[in-house]
Amino acid sequence: MPGFVHSDFAPVVVAVAERCLRRGYGSAGVPAGMRTGIVLVSASGDLASAQHVRATVEAGGRIGPLFFFQSVPNSVAGHIAARWGLRGPVVCLSPTGDPYTDGVDEADLLRDDGDADEVLLILIEQAPDKPTEAVAVLLLGGGARP
């Protein structure tokens, strides 16, 4: 993905989000009046980039400017919102309990407060010894679309 280097965090987030949005709306995209928010949930954040930055600093190296942009999960969520023309809020959070439950609770708040009609919930985790895992679900007022 242009603008994102070194880590598979952003490309995986985009892949699951686009798969979910295409399944829900096809090539027509999200309807014009729909306010779709994004809630991105990750306990680790972009772990691979954080580890790279840490190692570079410890070795006395210079960090490339893209890492300041991509190390914030909001950047990839904003990329998805811009690419798909989503008009709802973007929220990134680190779960304090079950990631799915925390994400659904946040999505419910956005819908109940009238900030969004639906929410694209993205759950992603990176671990140093396992592949990146991610899933996205479109949460509607009365249910969900995987």
Side-chain angles (χ1 to χ4, degrees):
M1 273 191 44
F4 295 91
V5 296
H6 186 76
S7 173
D8 65 355
F9 184 89
V12 169
V13 168
V14 169
V16 298
E18 288 189 347
R19 197 172 302 139
C20 183
L21 289 167
R22 269 193 225 104
R23 191 173 299 139
Y25 292 107
S27 61
V30 178
M34 184 69 67
R35 292 170 304 144
T36 304
I38 298 176
V39 174
L40 191 149
V41 181
S42 180
S44 62
D46 187 348
L47 184 61
S49 290
Q51 289 172 336
H52 172 74
V53 168
R54 186 178 313 114
T56 302
V57 169
E58 286 175 358
R62 186 170 180 183
I63 302 166
L66 286 177
F67 284 101
F68 294 103
F69 165 77
Q70 87 174 33
S71 294
V72 180
N74 289 39
S75 61
V76 71
H79 173 84
I80 294 163
R83 179 181 257 174
W84 278 82
L86 305 182
R87 289 170 285 288
V90 171
V91 177
C92 295
L93 60 97
S94 182
T96 57
D98 175 67
Y100 181 77
T101 301
D102 285 2
V104 168
D105 289 347
E106 184 66 29
D108 288 345
L109 285 173
L110 294 176
R111 289 192 317 254
D112 292 347
D113 286 348
D115 295 324
D117 301 312
E118 64 182 13
V119 174
L120 176 64
L121 173 61
I122 304 166
L123 306 164
I124 181 167
E125 288 306 328
Q126 287 185 319
D129 57 344
K130 295 190 311 188
T132 299
E133 296 181 359
V135 65
V137 62
L138 192 57
L139 301 171
L140 310 172
R145 286 188 211 164

